Amino acid sequence: MKTITMTLCASVLMALAVPVQAAGDPKAGQLKTSMCAGCHGIPGWRTAYPTVYSVPMLGGQHAEYMVAALKAYKSGERSHPSMVAIAGSLSEQDMEDLAAYYASSYTGAAN
């Protein structure tokens, strides 16, 4: 009985030690960036709606953060009008793919 318990515990610990893989596909995400690039792909871009602010570059951002932000826009928890509309059109897989692409595409300092 002790051996079975130790084996079970060791198996659980080994399973937890496996690195978590991103659920998104960066190549698929790259094909879905057209709606993002108009604002997030222009270094130094500022938007005037609803207020003037700098638009963040997405390259190199953590995938988990991007997925959480997109889900928050889709649910209405975050409230930028353009992002609410865009996120509302995305499936969870789209979000994961976009996040995987941007997380793997750091091109320099963020603005």
Side-chain angles (χ1 to χ4, degrees):
M1 183 64 153
K2 197 174 193 181
T3 303
I4 293 172
T5 303
M6 288 178 63
T7 303
L8 181 60
C9 288
S11 298
V12 168
L13 290 174
M14 286 175 46
L16 293 174
V18 173
V20 176
Q21 302 263 334
D25 176 1
K27 289 183 181 185
Q30 185 176 19
L31 299 173
K32 300 173 185 180
T33 62
S34 62
M35 67 190 124
C36 310
C39 295
H40 293 284
I42 304 170
W45 177 252
R46 295 184 188 283
T47 184
Y49 183 78
T51 59
V52 176
Y53 65 94
S54 294
V55 176
M57 298 297 288
L58 298 178
Q61 183 60 266
H62 295 281
E64 296 82 9
Y65 172 79
M66 285 188 278
V67 170
L70 288 168
K71 286 181 178 181
Y73 283 120
K74 187 170 185 165
S75 74
E77 184 181 331
R78 291 179 85 168
S79 63
H80 187 277
S82 298
M83 287 302 304
V84 167
I86 289 169
S89 73
L90 298 174
S91 69
E92 192 163 330
Q93 187 63 53
D94 292 336
M95 293 177 192
E96 295 282 350
D97 292 344
L98 285 164
Y101 169 72
Y102 281 112
S104 67
S105 66
Y106 179 71
T107 58
N111 58 347

